[in-house]
Amino acid sequence: MTTLTLPELAKKMAHIDFCLLHTHADDREIAARPMSNNGDVEYDGDSWFFTLESADMVGEIMREPKVALSFTGSKSLITLGKPPLFVSVQGRGMVIRSKTLMEEHWVSDLTRWFEQGVDTPGLVLIRVSAVRIHYWDGEDEGEILR
């Protein structure tokens, strides 16, 4: 087992944009969907995602804020001879409606989905704050507690 610091792990995660966001569905089963961190890849333990208030995940997070994120690096066993970086985050989700925070995390590419920018009706920002981060990097693995 290795011991990376959060900044060291963040450097390894720098090119990972997409993850799976896992929540607890109405029937208490686990639901997952792909989410983009919108190029905000300077990971500090908080992940930020835009969505609409009407999305199932919003109600699920409000009802049960314990969520998980799963990240997978793009390198493969074939190209490097070892597995890619895998990161599993246990965290707490929060639904944010602050336009100030939305503006801080907004990138122009988001207008593809949200044409009116931060003024899109029903737009919310989800913050996932890590509690425990477990990573596997080739044959190394470790855990960071926050």
Side-chain angles (χ1 to χ4, degrees):
M1 186 173 259
T2 63
T3 307
L4 292 176
T5 64
L6 186 56
E8 291 169 334
L9 179 59
K11 187 174 180 182
K12 290 178 174 279
M13 294 173 65
H15 300 291
I16 303 174
D17 181 18
F18 288 91
C19 68
L20 287 176
L21 169 59
H22 307 262
T23 59
H24 297 273
D26 288 340
D27 60 4
R28 304 301 302 152
E29 295 295 329
I30 296 174
R33 75 278 298 153
M35 299 296 287
S36 170
N37 60 24
N38 313 309
D40 190 2
V41 293
E42 292 185 26
Y43 188 65
D44 64 0
D46 286 340
S47 297
W48 303 87
F49 309 103
F50 285 92
T51 193
L52 294 175
E53 180 100 39
S54 59
D56 289 342
M57 73 182 107
V58 172
E60 292 165 0
I61 290 169
M62 291 176 67
R63 187 175 47 262
E64 174 53 77
K66 293 178 183 177
V67 301
L69 302 174
S70 302
F71 295 87
T72 303
S74 61
K75 303 295 187 223
S76 72
L77 204 64
I78 296 168
T79 59
L80 292 181
K82 67 177 188 173
L85 174 67
F86 296 94
V87 180
S88 176
V89 176
Q90 295 172 11
R92 300 294 179 268
M94 176 184 289
V95 178
I96 297 170
R97 292 172 181 82
S98 163
K99 288 210 177 167
T100 301
L101 276 175
M102 287 184 203
E103 288 168 351
E104 287 179 26
H105 294 280
W106 186 262
V107 294
S108 61
D109 291 343
L110 288 167
T111 56
R112 176 179 180 183
W113 293 279
F114 311 109
E115 293 179 2
Q116 297 177 36
V118 296
D119 294 318
T120 299
L123 185 69
V124 295
L125 184 61
I126 294 174
R127 182 180 81 195
V128 175
S129 295
V131 174
R132 174 179 286 132
I133 305 166
H134 200 101
Y135 59 87
W136 299 263
D137 186 16
E139 296 179 13
D140 295 329
E141 70 174 285
E143 189 170 79
I144 298 170
L145 301 174
R146 283 187 74 215

